[in-house]
Amino acid sequence: MENKIFLKDVLEQIDSTYPNGEPMRFDVEVFTFNRNNKEGGKLNFYRDAKKLVSTSPGRKLTLEEKAMQKNKFRKSPNHYENRTRNIETTEGRKIKINILFIRMFNGQKVIY
């Protein structure tokens, strides 16, 4: 059972941070799926990814950034309801993954 991990533990590790507030890095293997046209099934591997946070901890927004955020209408992502998480790759790409399609996490097979 050493090479298996429960989804609950995966989500705890994804949400965890280092003592300085920076999100922890992880390797994840996840299947793709598009609900609109029911396509997917491609297996993607993201090495050294991290959970995407809205602003880096400790960084203060400028007055311009605060004003832009107030004027911007933004839909709530409802990550927990939709079972999704946003991750950022080492290249800086922002990707939305469905937690039910995670196959491997840090070299361990995910079980539900």
Side-chain angles (χ1 to χ4, degrees):
M1 180 109 171
E2 71 248 5
N3 285 335
K4 296 180 182 175
I5 186 170
F6 288 105
L7 180 61
K8 180 184 106 169
D9 299 327
V10 169
L11 297 177
E12 286 176 5
Q13 288 184 31
I14 288 175
D15 292 336
S16 61
T17 59
Y18 292 111
N20 65 357
E22 187 72 21
M24 292 229 175
R25 298 208 168 258
F26 52 86
D27 298 335
V28 65
E29 199 171 283
V30 63
F31 286 103
T32 60
F33 181 69
N34 185 336
R35 289 183 191 191
N36 294 333
N37 56 12
K38 308 258 191 277
E39 289 183 358
K42 182 180 170 194
L43 186 62
N44 291 331
F45 181 72
Y46 303 109
R47 184 178 305 262
D48 203 30
K50 67 178 182 176
K51 181 180 176 185
L52 185 65
V53 291
S54 57
T55 58
S56 59
R59 179 178 171 263
K60 295 191 177 187
L61 297 176
T62 64
L63 291 176
E64 269 182 21
E65 291 172 327
K66 284 181 185 177
M68 293 278 282
Q69 280 186 348
K70 286 181 183 177
N71 294 334
K72 189 186 286 186
F73 176 74
R74 191 174 173 135
K75 180 181 166 190
S76 174
N78 295 327
H79 287 300
Y80 293 94
E81 185 178 313
N82 295 328
R83 297 183 180 106
T84 59
R85 299 294 183 275
N86 288 337
I87 63 170
E88 184 176 8
T89 64
T90 52
E91 299 89 33
R93 289 182 30 217
K94 297 170 184 156
I95 299 162
K96 183 177 294 229
I97 62 170
N98 188 314
I99 62 172
L100 299 179
F101 298 144
I102 297 175
R103 181 174 167 231
M104 300 278 281
F105 185 82
N106 286 338
Q108 297 175 314
K109 184 177 179 179
V110 177
I111 55 178
Y112 300 94

